[in-house]
Amino acid sequence: MDDLTAQVREFAEERDWQQFHTPKNLVMALAGEVGELVAEFQWLTPEQANAVMGDPEAEARVRAEVGDIMIYLTRLADVLGIDLREAAVTKLAEVAIRYPVDEVRGSATKR
Amino acid sequence: MDDLTAQVREFAEERDWQQFHTPKNLVMALAGEVGELVAEFQWLTPEQANAVMGDPEAEARVRAEVGDIMIYLTRLADVLGIDLREAAVTKLAEVAIRYPVDEVRGSATKR
Amino acid sequence: MDDLTAQVREFAEERDWQQFHTPKNLVMALAGEVGELVAEFQWLTPEQANAVMGDPEAEARVRAEVGDIMIYLTRLADVLGIDLREAAVTKLAEVAIRYPVDEVRGSATKR
Amino acid sequence: MDDLTAQVREFAEERDWQQFHTPKNLVMALAGEVGELVAEFQWLTPEQANAVMGDPEAEARVRAEVGDIMIYLTRLADVLGIDLREAAVTKLAEVAIRYPVDEVRGSATKR
């Protein structure tokens, strides 16, 4: 992960894009990219969505969108001083307590 | 990264949540979490947004949202068979060609 | 529509919230509310989503989210000087040309 | 509003697109369009965002995106049986109670 953070940071610095990479702007960029991924899936039936990686053109678009999202998420985390992996692991531990295995099995109800 | 993927997968399997974790649903969950992160920043001035990690309560919320996003992005990538890091590195290489350093320095214009 | 625009504007002015209602902030607020609506549907099967208005609690949440989205969209359009209805009708006419009835019937492929 | 609802409905029915216009899909389409609007503003400074309608090219893109959002919001409301205007007015009344004028003036803190 650190390696990717460094690559994305270098990419931005070489282009003098730090001025654009404020937290607010990066959050918007992340939302914009997620919107593109959502658009990729919006008209697919569940079955078509499950099989999306079997269609080479759709697969390429989905990979590119997921890559874009990961790039901006990595950059945002870097700018905010957040370790992405640690943030995920910490949150997963909290969610595990809120959703005990034996109480929520098979249920998607929010708590 | 692989470690996190395994943890999130185990978390889902223990709760029998694979049935909910379809590509379409996970893309929506990702969008929902990004919406929460956007909401965290929506009324902040650029200056307030830049200083958000200096406010312990806001920092905790931002870390939690970034964690949620990373969890769902990891889970989505796992379900789609995408290596997150590889997808980001591949996309970064493509973007680097589209935005040559000496042509785009200091400019945010899209290509 | 004009009536709603006036109501939302008055709501904001009474609270001295014009300072927060910049185009950039309102776009983010709109995205945040749409994220909440997405979250309402994320784990539902297509069948459950189709029947969502038959569940009084879910119906109330969906109505509230749709209301929030309409409020922010109305406010954003007001601040930008856009007539929502006109923008939609104009765009619909453009899309009608790009998607001629006899060429696209029954197909969701993007053009 | 009813007029727009009827126009959008006719547009969909002529193309036999009702099959794609499920609540879940329309919520995603709405999120995708909002993502495009967010992308339009992501790299703008607050000052540039405030002046966006003074740039003819940006203005055209913003109008088109706002039009798209209104089209999908109208269609979603139609499919769900929600009166958009009524949903907004009802929600505004609720928010007015939660945010009394004399307690929240000039403050963006959430309640």
Side-chain angles (χ1 to χ4, degrees):
Chain A
M1 187 77 75
D2 285 326
D3 210 47
L4 179 60
T5 298
Q7 275 190 59
V8 177
R9 188 191 294 184
E10 190 190 351
F11 179 91
E13 289 180 350
E14 284 177 343
R15 287 162 182 78
D16 198 16
W17 283 357
Q18 303 100 308
Q19 59 187 304
F20 305 118
H21 287 185
T22 65
K24 198 154 165 148
N25 290 4
L26 287 167
V27 165
M28 294 180 82
L30 180 63
E33 295 299 341
V34 169
E36 291 189 36
L37 184 65
V38 170
E40 204 53 59
F41 284 88
Q42 66 195 14
W43 304 131
L44 304 186
T45 62
E47 294 69 32
Q48 289 168 334
N50 294 344
V52 74
M53 302 301 280
D55 169 346
E57 288 183 24
E59 185 209 359
R61 290 195 304 269
V62 168
R63 274 186 197 281
E65 296 305 344
V66 167
D68 278 331
I69 293 168
M70 186 59 184
I71 289 169
Y72 279 124
L73 184 58
T74 298
R75 182 67 178 143
L76 174 67
D78 185 23
V79 166
L80 292 175
I82 292 175
D83 180 305
L84 264 190
R85 202 190 162 288
E86 188 186 299
V89 169
T90 302
K91 187 60 193 275
L92 200 63
E94 291 172 19
V95 183
I97 292 168
R98 198 154 78 234
Y99 292 84
V101 169
D102 53 0
E103 294 180 22
V104 303
R105 193 175 285 119
S107 159
T109 307
K110 272 179 207 165
R111 298 191 157 197
Chain B
M1 188 78 75
D2 284 327
D3 210 48
L4 179 60
T5 299
Q7 274 190 58
V8 178
R9 187 190 295 183
E10 190 190 352
F11 179 91
E13 291 181 349
E14 283 177 342
R15 286 161 184 78
D16 198 17
W17 284 356
Q18 303 101 309
Q19 59 186 307
F20 306 118
H21 287 185
T22 65
K24 197 154 166 148
N25 290 4
L26 287 167
V27 166
M28 295 180 81
L30 182 62
E33 295 298 342
V34 169
E36 291 189 36
L37 184 65
V38 170
E40 203 55 56
F41 283 88
Q42 66 195 16
W43 304 130
L44 303 187
T45 63
E47 294 69 32
Q48 289 169 332
N50 294 345
V52 74
M53 302 302 279
D55 169 345
E57 287 183 25
E59 185 209 358
R61 290 195 304 268
V62 168
R63 274 187 196 281
E65 296 304 345
V66 168
D68 277 332
I69 294 168
M70 185 59 183
I71 289 169
Y72 279 124
L73 184 58
T74 299
R75 182 68 179 143
L76 175 67
D78 185 24
V79 165
L80 292 174
I82 293 175
D83 181 304
L84 263 190
R85 203 190 161 286
E86 187 186 300
V89 169
T90 302
K91 187 59 194 279
L92 200 62
E94 291 172 19
V95 183
I97 292 169
R98 199 155 78 236
Y99 292 85
V101 169
D102 53 1
E103 294 180 22
V104 303
R105 194 174 284 118
S107 159
T109 307
K110 272 180 204 164
R111 298 190 158 197
Chain C
M1 189 78 74
D2 285 328
D3 209 47
L4 179 59
T5 299
Q7 274 190 58
V8 177
R9 187 190 295 185
E10 189 191 352
F11 179 91
E13 290 181 349
E14 284 177 342
R15 287 163 182 77
D16 198 17
W17 283 356
Q18 303 101 309
Q19 59 186 307
F20 305 117
H21 288 184
T22 65
K24 197 153 165 148
N25 290 5
L26 287 167
V27 166
M28 294 180 82
L30 181 62
E33 295 299 342
V34 169
E36 291 189 37
L37 185 65
V38 171
E40 203 54 58
F41 284 88
Q42 65 196 16
W43 304 130
L44 303 186
T45 62
E47 294 70 31
Q48 289 168 333
N50 293 345
V52 74
M53 302 302 279
D55 169 347
E57 287 182 25
E59 185 209 358
R61 289 195 304 267
V62 169
R63 274 187 195 280
E65 295 305 344
V66 168
D68 277 331
I69 293 169
M70 185 60 183
I71 289 170
Y72 278 124
L73 184 58
T74 298
R75 182 68 179 142
L76 174 67
D78 185 24
V79 166
L80 292 174
I82 293 175
D83 180 305
L84 263 190
R85 202 190 162 287
E86 188 186 300
V89 169
T90 302
K91 187 61 194 278
L92 200 62
E94 291 173 20
V95 183
I97 292 169
R98 198 155 78 235
Y99 292 84
V101 168
D102 53 1
E103 294 180 23
V104 303
R105 193 174 286 118
S107 160
T109 307
K110 273 181 205 164
R111 298 190 158 197
Chain D
M1 187 78 77
D2 284 327
D3 210 46
L4 179 59
T5 298
Q7 274 190 58
V8 178
R9 189 191 294 186
E10 189 189 353
F11 179 91
E13 290 180 350
E14 283 176 343
R15 287 160 182 79
D16 198 17
W17 283 355
Q18 303 101 308
Q19 59 187 305
F20 305 118
H21 286 186
T22 65
K24 197 154 166 147
N25 289 4
L26 287 167
V27 165
M28 294 180 82
L30 181 63
E33 295 299 342
V34 169
E36 291 189 36
L37 184 65
V38 170
E40 204 54 59
F41 284 89
Q42 66 195 15
W43 305 130
L44 304 186
T45 62
E47 294 69 31
Q48 289 169 333
N50 293 345
V52 74
M53 302 302 280
D55 169 346
E57 287 183 26
E59 185 208 359
R61 290 195 304 270
V62 168
R63 273 187 196 280
E65 295 306 343
V66 168
D68 277 332
I69 293 168
M70 186 59 183
I71 289 169
Y72 279 124
L73 184 58
T74 299
R75 182 67 179 144
L76 175 67
D78 185 24
V79 166
L80 292 175
I82 292 176
D83 181 305
L84 264 189
R85 202 190 163 289
E86 187 186 301
V89 169
T90 302
K91 188 60 194 275
L92 199 62
E94 291 173 19
V95 183
I97 292 169
R98 200 156 75 234
Y99 292 84
V101 169
D102 53 0
E103 294 180 22
V104 302
R105 194 175 284 118
S107 159
T109 307
K110 272 179 205 164
R111 297 190 159 198

